[in-house]
Amino acid sequence: MLSFVLAASLAAAPSPRAATASETVVHIPRLDALQGLTAFLAEAGQNAALMRPAVWLAELHPYLALDPSQPDSLQDMGIDPAGAVTLSVRTTGRVSCTRLSDPKRFQQKAAERLAAGSGKSLEIKPTTSAGVTSVLVPREAGGQAGYALKGQEACAFASGGGGFVDDGQGKVLLKEASRLVSQTPKADAKLAPLPGAAYVVMPKRGLVVGLDGTASELRMEGTSTELPLPPFQSASGTSPYGTMKPGGLLFSRARMAPAGLAAAMGSVRASIQQACPACPAAEVSSVAREVTERLTGHVLVAVDGVRSRPNVRTPEGRFFASRLALAAEVTDATAMKKALAPLAKFPGARALEDGHALDVKGGSLFVRLKGRQLVMGNDEAVAGSVLASIPETGGMLPHAVDYSVNPQRVASGLKQISLMDVVGDQRLAALFTAGLELGPLLTRSANITGWLDSASGGAHRFSSRWTLAPTR
């Protein structure tokens, strides 16, 4: 029975005609099934130029412009609109394999583009060997380009280096393209469980993602062995935060495995030590260790937003830039209170009715304990709001982690990073650029939601939905 299920799964799995040693592989099982994804890109592209379909579709082929929304244009190039496309990106160039409806028409269009790309009057003369028809010509920009064709399968390629010197990579890609058109591609079991009209695979990063969408929603589901995340419990069950309503910039619930708790608390300890350098390192580590041992694994992360005009050029400014709180369920409230007692002796400590506050450079840290709920935060109002909103009874969560992001608050937060901030700290350049490129699209978006589960071998499976707000 197991062998039958496995065979059925492989039979249903997409079969990319992918080149070996690829950094990235993009596989589209059917070009005519890409309309939903391109519809989202077209809609999103009205607010973010880098999301426009033309930007991404231009990468699908080394020298032909493929537009799945125009099946007649594909037919005009001899490409089957119902066929598959597999793009393989290597460090030395690209290989794009397509199913043909008219091989002679494809050869004609390819010859026109290859001749134009050579920068001179060049007669394209295909050669045939062992049933494979091929072309290899120099490119004006450097490197070489061409294709290999057999039957109704064609793999076009272009090498990226060499300049005006033949570095041999064009012939390497030609050999690989000839191999690809001569063999039946194997079903990829990694893609079978993932829904999608297009797939992105990064073998060296252990990442496989399926993408699909509509004009108002982008759907993404995938697996990865390299996500910088701790392990989570495989089944979350009832969470004390299960019935809480998501809000703020980020709202996320999770149930961590013991090893994940240790890693997460290690990060919290490092952040506290950075915000309070005068706090004794040994004592901070001891308290973190004692706290970790008294947690059930159920945690909540709530980021309300970004403070107005934070000084993100300093460590303390970055620490207090976002207004956040972390909640965690404890196994024993009395034991946890005892574990937190050493905080009273830390520099800048002051007692609260239900915990401790640490006044440090740039702001204050709050640690509060109410019943079996421990809340830590860098903003008194957010910490208090989270603590007050935790219900007495929990609810079921179908996944180990779920999250909800408010794109408009993200856009507002990105606006707080100025050009002068980038001049002062180059590490902020990526966030500044994201604000410029994606800010208008995020402002126009309704929400981003998703979930994550741990998988075998240290991998994670994840899913996300990006929904645009209705146009007025």
Side-chain angles (χ1 to χ4, degrees), residues 21 50 80 97 149 166 196 302 337 349 359 442 461:
L50 62 82
D80 185 358
C97 298
L149 184 155
D166 183 4
K337 185 175 182 180
D359 296 326
L442 291 169
R461 179 158 181 172

Side-chain angles (χ1 to χ4, degrees), residues 64 117 123 280 317 352 362 383 385 462-463:
L64 294 178
E123 183 180 359
L352 301 176
S385 175
F462 56 89
S463 176

Side-chain angles (χ1 to χ4, degrees), residues 13-36:
S15 304
R17 201 176 290 271
T20 57
S22 296
E23 299 285 328
T24 303
V25 174
V26 178
H27 179 63
I28 301 170
R30 289 181 62 110
L31 279 167
D32 59 2
L34 208 59
Q35 291 92 336

